[in-house]
Amino acid sequence: MRTVFYLIVISLCIGCQTEEAFDMLIVGDAIYTASVDSTKVEAIGIIGDRIVFVGTQKGVDSRIDSDTKKIDATGQFVMPGFIEGHGHFSGMGSSLQNLNFLKDTSWNAILDKVEKKTATLEKGEWIYGRGWHQEKWMEQPDESYGAYPMHYGLSEISPDNPAILIHASGHSLIANEKAMQQAGISVESPSPKGGEIVRNDNGDIVGVFEERAMTPIKEAFNSYLNNLDAASQEKIWYEAIELAQKECLENGITSFQDAGSLFYELDRYAEMAEQGKLDIRLWAMMRDSISHIPRPISEYRKIDVGNGHYTCRAIKSEIDGALGAHGAWLIEPYADKPAFYGQNTTEISAVENLAKIAYDNQMQLCVHAIGDRANKETLDIIESYSKKSEEELRWRVEHAQHLNPADIQRFKSTGAIASMQGVHCTSDAPFVQRRLGLLRSKIGAYAWKALLNQGVTIVNGTDVPVEDINPIDNFYASVTRKRLDNGMEFFVENRMSREEALKSYTIDAAYGAFEEDNKGSLEVGKYADIVILDTDLLSCDDLDIPKTEVVYTLVGGKVLFEKE
């Protein structure tokens, strides 16, 4: 018996002595874990790409050796890496390559950018830009129809270069005369179902194309790109992806939920992950013509490729347009456009077909729905499948911006995820009440708190490049519902608490992608995806939130961004 006792003691001592040293140790006095355990955390130990220790600093010295890297985050704020819950990854990269109008407050400022770009191009080369929003302009265009500029000024400065300028929402565009010619658009061209070629009172084409009416212009632009040699096309695409990754890391984003990729993009992402060329973790929704699919859908369903750097387990569809362009599909007419209910951009039967494909292939269905009618129709589809499924579907309503009160509780009963973008609320605030009237705006517009009170999971994001990817500005919008430029508030009773907003950007976003076992919180066994900020987002003054800067971004325990 004495021999057995000694063997046990020796074995325990050996275990103490051989406890593996950390590759990295992070210590701090403000560590937010996003886990249900509220125990005070002072240190995080990392080995490889995983967290192996979360606790106090007591005893951590025994797990430090000469190779252990240490980050002292005292006076800073340590939290799980931000998860961008709804954005367009390659689109963001493309916007960084081309003209960006997100911060322009006048049509003349946009024309100035276009004119300078035109001077650098050969005849026939296309001009591409994105981010304009007529509701944000501080002055009226010289020639306009309502809030929209006539295309004449744009056509005059770029007579030999087709121009396609995408609205911030992505649901309308402005084209110059050269682009319309190449797309075969003339004054006789009819508006398609689900879209509108905007005309003034004289029947002249304004140059603005809404929803499905954008298709001919986009096809002409894509034809131009497709005529470039394959090597040039690939080079442009990969450069955009590198720019997108860099932008994510600089903003503390370690995971990105891509709201719609083409089949060739999905193949490239998987290959990049396998080759270790994806720095961030990408979760992608399939968004392409099912009628032209190169391979069976099941072959595109991929989980945790490249050690958790790429997953595709969702199919994206849309059911309406955007509120700003009167494209959101409503139950009652627009307050500022009587007898008009918005655009049903995809037939309900087509969305139902995609729902069946998603269900049969164990993929999440993600449906763009902004208006209350669009949300109701989407919830009807989700409900029909949730009733017959024995497992959680976690199907998602992307945007869920304007809800009928009767449908708010249906998110919980159907298990639907509300994938919402905090900054859309404050960005759209100047025109929402004009579109919907007081009652609908107050009760159902960006109803975060009402949904949270029902126990609904909210996934936060920016819809980049519709908005800037900056998670700090988005967090500020979520917890204040106040614009940064002029302080305008939008029904603040529906704002999130600080912790609710952080969860929507971390653990709840991970849950919305079936990834909560590997990311979204600082817990033992999860990926060491961590961001360190210079400001405590839980306790700082509201006015200090927008000043917050990223100090470190870690993905898989590696520092991929460090503030100079």
Side-chain angles (χ1 to χ4, degrees):
M1 289 295 293
R2 182 176 296 176
T3 302
V4 172
F5 172 76
Y6 284 140
L7 288 173
I8 292 172
V9 171
I10 291 169
S11 176
L12 289 172
C13 289
I14 290 172
C16 294
Q17 293 170 353
T18 60
E19 195 168 35
E20 193 172 359
F22 300 137
D23 292 329
M24 178 175 285
L25 176 67
I26 300 172
V27 298
D29 51 4
I31 298 177
Y32 172 70
T33 65
S35 70
V36 294
D37 187 352
S38 59
T39 305
K40 175 73 173 178
V41 173
E42 300 172 329
I44 300 169
I46 300 166
I47 295 178
D49 63 356
R50 300 276 180 169
I51 296 171
V52 297
F53 175 84
V54 177
T56 66
Q57 292 192 52
K58 183 179 180 181
V60 297
D61 288 346
S62 65
R63 301 191 66 177
I64 298 174
D65 64 17
S66 59
D67 293 323
T68 301
K69 298 176 183 177
K70 184 175 179 180
I71 295 178
D72 186 348
T74 303
Q76 299 172 337
F77 186 66
V78 182
M79 60 172 282
F82 288 110
I83 299 175
E84 167 59 55
H86 178 111
H88 302 272
F89 197 58
S90 63
M92 174 175 66
S94 178
S95 73
L96 295 170
Q97 289 175 313
N98 295 286
L99 297 177
N100 189 321
F101 309 130
L102 277 177
K103 296 181 180 180
D104 290 315
T105 57
S106 72
W107 175 237
N108 284 334
I110 291 170
L111 289 180
D112 184 56
K113 284 185 176 180
V114 172
E115 188 169 21
K116 290 177 180 176
K117 181 69 174 179
T118 304
T120 69
L121 302 176
E122 299 290 335
K123 288 185 177 181
E125 289 187 272
W126 279 68
I127 300 162
Y128 179 88
R130 179 165 181 159
W132 63 271
H133 202 308
Q134 75 282 4
E135 301 284 354
K136 300 176 184 177
W137 294 339
M138 305 301 290
E139 57 188 52
Q140 190 79 356
D142 295 335
E143 296 179 285
S144 62
Y145 174 67
Y148 287 143
M150 298 295 293
H151 72 85
Y152 305 136
L154 178 63
S155 297
E156 182 179 348
I157 62 175
S158 54
D160 302 313
N161 298 91
I164 176 172
L165 311 182
I166 308 294
H167 190 270
S169 68
H171 289 265
S172 61
L173 63 81
I174 296 173
N176 67 355
E177 186 173 1
K178 191 70 172 180
M180 288 186 268
Q181 288 173 356
Q182 296 208 5
I185 301 293
S186 69
V187 69
E188 289 83 18
S189 299
S191 292
K193 184 176 182 180
E196 183 177 357
I197 300 174
V198 180
R199 292 175 166 84
N200 65 13
D201 295 337
N202 296 324
D204 301 321
I205 291 179
V206 171
V208 175
F209 297 78
E210 297 177 345
E211 305 298 349
R212 296 298 183 191
M214 296 188 292
T215 300
I217 307 292
K218 285 186 170 183
E219 287 179 345
F221 176 60
N222 288 331
S223 177
Y224 161 75
L225 293 178
N226 292 335
N227 283 329
L228 298 175
D229 63 89
S232 295
Q233 292 182 49
E234 283 196 22
K235 183 174 182 288
I236 291 170
W237 189 87
Y238 281 109
E239 284 178 352
I241 299 308
E242 288 305 314
L243 289 172
Q245 294 203 88
K246 183 173 182 287
E247 190 79 355
C248 284
L249 295 171
E250 289 177 358
N251 282 278
I253 293 162
T254 57
S255 289
F256 192 107
Q257 295 178 2
D258 181 74
S261 293
L262 303 175
F263 289 126
Y264 80 87
E265 292 182 306
L266 297 175
D267 288 336
R268 288 178 181 176
Y269 290 142
E271 183 179 10
M272 289 179 72
E274 290 167 350
Q275 296 174 352
K277 293 181 179 179
L278 276 181
D279 293 328
I280 61 141
R281 304 189 192 280
L282 185 64
W283 179 94
M285 306 176 196
M286 182 187 306
R287 178 79 164 117
D288 209 336
S289 174
I290 301 299
S291 61
H292 297 117
I293 180 172
R295 303 193 302 277
I297 291 290
S298 58
E299 294 186 18
Y300 286 93
R301 185 181 187 274
K302 296 180 184 292
I303 309 294
D304 289 339
V305 177
N307 202 27
H309 278 81
Y310 171 70
T311 288
C312 176
R313 61 168 305 145
I315 298 176
K316 170 85 179 295
S317 185
E318 69 172 37
I319 210 164
D320 69 344
L323 188 74
H326 293 92
W329 193 17
L330 304 179
I331 294 172
E332 299 294 332
Y334 279 84
D336 60 348
K337 200 171 183 179
F340 188 71
Y341 295 80
Q343 303 282 7
N344 170 213
T345 57
T346 305
E347 296 284 353
I348 300 300
S349 60
V351 181
E352 289 173 336
N353 289 339
L354 277 180
K356 184 178 187 308
I357 292 171
Y359 186 79
D360 291 344
N361 288 276
Q362 294 181 291
M363 300 186 80
Q364 290 169 266
L365 180 70
C366 306
V367 182
H368 165 116
I370 289 183
D372 52 11
R373 174 69 184 275
N375 276 273
K376 178 188 179 302
E377 297 288 348
T378 301
L379 288 169
D380 287 346
I381 294 171
I382 293 176
E383 186 173 47
S384 67
Y385 281 90
S386 65
K387 284 181 176 178
K388 67 180 182 180
S389 176
E390 296 180 358
E391 299 178 352
E392 280 187 309
L393 296 177
R394 299 191 196 178
W395 285 8
R396 299 167 41 136
V397 183
E398 304 298 325
H399 307 305
Q401 285 183 7
H402 308 293
L403 306 175
N404 186 295
D407 286 322
I408 290 176
Q409 59 82 28
R410 293 180 67 205
F411 277 81
K412 182 63 176 178
S413 64
T414 61
I417 304 291
S419 173
M420 307 176 76
Q421 297 73 51
V423 72
H424 277 341
C425 170
T426 53
S427 181
D428 293 358
F431 61 82
V432 172
Q433 198 164 321
R434 288 204 300 272
R435 298 286 189 271
L436 301 178
L438 174 62
L439 186 60
R440 281 187 292 183
S441 300
K442 180 179 176 64
I443 295 176
Y446 317 95
W448 308 329
K449 183 62 75 172
L451 289 164
L452 288 167
N453 287 343
Q454 292 286 336
V456 176
T457 298
I458 292 180
V459 172
N460 213 331
T462 63
D463 202 10
V464 63
V466 174
E467 305 281 358
D468 192 281
I469 196 172
N470 188 339
I472 303 301
D473 288 351
N474 194 43
F475 177 82
Y476 178 80
S478 301
V479 301
T480 66
R481 290 171 75 102
K482 184 183 296 186
R483 288 180 63 90
L484 278 168
D485 56 357
N486 59 16
M488 176 185 180
E489 294 181 339
F490 189 86
F491 302 107
V492 297
E493 62 272 18
N494 246 317
R495 65 182 180 267
M496 300 185 198
S497 70
R498 299 282 184 99
E499 187 158 6
E500 287 168 344
L502 284 178
K503 287 182 65 179
S504 73
Y505 240 131
T506 54
I507 189 62
D508 287 350
Y511 176 88
F514 280 100
E515 295 186 324
E516 73 274 15
D517 290 340
N518 277 317
K519 64 175 72 167
S521 60
L522 304 181
E523 297 181 87
V524 171
K526 293 193 175 185
Y527 288 124
D529 297 349
I530 301 169
V531 62
I532 301 177
L533 308 174
D534 66 358
T535 303
D536 188 336
L537 293 182
L538 285 174
S539 63
C540 70
D541 188 271
D542 281 352
L543 294 176
D544 290 328
I545 294 174
K547 304 173 188 175
T548 301
E549 294 186 354
V550 176
V551 182
Y552 291 98
T553 303
L554 289 78
V555 181
K558 295 180 180 179
V559 176
L560 297 185
F561 171 78
E562 181 177 355
K563 179 185 174 185
E564 295 181 0

